[in-house]
């Protein structure tokens, strides 16, 4: 159990009111961490926090609503977490956006800018706000939820894939910079997971078949199946791992 023990750790997870972020928060709390639930709307966040506190004891989860597009909101997320829990040991940059699906020639500047802002620049902002205390303590784990889209081309979600590839490179760069201070930075690259975020993909029978048929496991993923990878990357079990992308995709990227 020590390999995956997060007792005493504080984890901030963006986009954690539902989907993958919620599953990560639930599993990290299960492994002993205090977790900060954050997304734009306070109500759904509070529901997740209440359920975690009911299961694991009052004070295990708190809520700090934040819009990742707002630098002020992100700074408040960090400040309120520090005030309540004293420090941040684990940061999971999970929140993302994708307002456009289609060929690159059809995307407008506002849509492309929003994708890059929310999926890359906002991650950079939040990481830079959290990192100084980790560097000072010489201990910390930063996890960015990327996508297998960052490893492949796709005619439907090309701009989103560009942002997710950038997240992988962001992790590699920061891993090189901060490795000497024992601050690790990794990404998780899920395949298609049954979340509201990806609903436009999996609710389409033709698209779903295209994704699941070639995959060795022959099915779509579930949010909780990504959470274990996040626990691993946050825990002592991954102490020698940094700058890497952990692919969790049912095998689709290795299939012909």
């Amino acid at each position: 159990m020590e390999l995956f023990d997060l007792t005493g750790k504080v984890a901030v997870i963006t986009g954690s009111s539902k989907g993958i972020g919620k599953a990560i928060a639930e599993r990290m709390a299960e492994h002993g961490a205090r977790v900060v639930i954050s997304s734009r709307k306070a109500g759904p966040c509070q529901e997740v926090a209440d359920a975690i506190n009911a299961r694991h004891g009052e004070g295990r989860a708190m809520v700090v609503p934040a819009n990742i597009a707002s630098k002020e909101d992100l700074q408040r997320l960090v400040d309120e977490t520090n005030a309540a829990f004293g420090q941040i040991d684990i940061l999971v940059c999970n929140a993302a956006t994708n307002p456009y699906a289609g060929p690159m020639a059809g995307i407008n500047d506002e849509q492309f800018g929003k994708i890059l802002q929310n999926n890359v620049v906002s991650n950079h902002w939040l990481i830079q706000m959290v990192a100084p205390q980790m560097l000072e303590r010489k201990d910390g784990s930063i996890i960015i939820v990327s996508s297998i889209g960052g490893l492949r081309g796709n005619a439907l979600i090309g701009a989103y894939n560009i942002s997710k590839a950038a997240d992988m490179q962001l992790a590699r760069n920061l891993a090189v910079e901060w490795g000497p201070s024992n601050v690790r930075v990794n990404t998780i690259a899920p395949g298609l997971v049954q979340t509201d975020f990806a609903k436009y993909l999996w609710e389409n029978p033709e698209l779903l078949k295209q994704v699941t048929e070639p995959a060795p496991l022959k099915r779509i993923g579930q949010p909780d199946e990504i959470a274990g990878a996040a626990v691993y990357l946050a825990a002592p079990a991954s102490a020698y791992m940094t700058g890497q992308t952990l692919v969790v995709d049912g095998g689709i990227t290795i299939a012909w």
Side-chain angles (χ1 to χ4, degrees):
M1 287 295 292
E2 290 181 3
L3 280 176
F4 299 95
D5 186 11
L6 300 178
T7 302
K9 301 295 185 181
V10 175
V12 172
I13 305 109
T14 64
S16 47
S17 63
K18 57 186 178 180
I20 292 172
K22 176 186 175 185
I24 289 172
E26 290 171 341
R27 288 298 188 175
M28 286 192 173
E30 185 179 279
H31 284 263
R34 289 176 289 173
V35 296
V36 180
I37 310 302
S38 184
S39 69
R40 287 180 299 170
K41 297 180 181 179
C45 289
Q46 193 63 56
E47 291 178 11
V48 175
D50 288 346
I52 290 173
N53 287 329
R55 193 175 302 121
H56 301 291
E58 199 61 36
R60 290 293 292 279
M62 66 174 285
V63 171
V64 184
N67 182 344
I68 58 170
S70 166
K71 202 169 190 177
E72 292 73 20
D73 276 16
L74 294 178
Q75 187 62 62
R76 180 171 50 78
L77 171 59
V78 173
D79 292 344
E80 291 190 15
T81 300
N82 285 331
F85 286 159
Q87 64 187 55
I88 299 170
D89 303 285
I90 302 158
L91 173 62
V92 182
C93 295
N94 168 70
T97 192
N98 187 34
Y100 174 81
M104 290 295 296
I107 194 169
N108 63 44
D109 290 348
E110 182 180 357
Q111 291 167 325
F112 203 179
K114 184 175 182 179
I115 290 170
L116 296 177
Q117 172 62 58
N118 288 359
N119 298 0
V120 185
V121 178
S122 292
N123 288 344
H124 166 72
W125 284 348
L126 183 55
I127 290 168
Q128 295 301 324
M129 292 170 186
V130 171
Q133 59 175 284
M134 294 181 171
L135 295 168
E136 184 177 352
R137 291 193 305 269
K138 295 189 181 300
D139 184 54
S141 176
I142 297 167
I143 303 162
I144 304 173
V145 179
S146 181
S147 167
I148 60 168
L151 299 168
R152 311 176 74 179
N154 187 290
L156 183 64
I157 51 172
Y160 176 79
N161 289 355
I162 289 168
S163 73
K164 291 304 182 176
D167 279 334
M168 295 176 188
Q169 187 59 35
L170 177 62
R172 286 188 284 264
N173 286 347
L174 296 178
V176 169
E177 290 184 31
W178 296 341
S181 296
N182 194 40
V183 174
R184 300 181 297 109
V185 191
N186 293 286
T187 68
I188 301 171
L192 182 58
V193 176
Q194 195 167 8
T195 64
D196 287 346
F197 183 82
K199 191 174 183 179
Y200 71 102
L201 294 173
W202 57 260
E203 71 177 354
N204 182 318
E206 283 298 315
L207 285 175
L208 181 60
K209 184 177 180 181
Q210 287 177 27
V211 173
T212 57
E213 188 61 31
L217 293 186
K218 304 294 183 187
R219 63 176 177 84
I220 193 172
Q222 298 300 316
D224 195 51
E225 295 177 310
I226 309 303
V231 171
Y232 166 71
L233 291 175
S238 62
Y240 196 50
M241 183 172 180
T242 194
Q244 302 302 310
T245 294
L246 189 55
V247 177
V248 188
D249 69 346
I252 186 63
T253 54
I254 57 93
W256 178 250

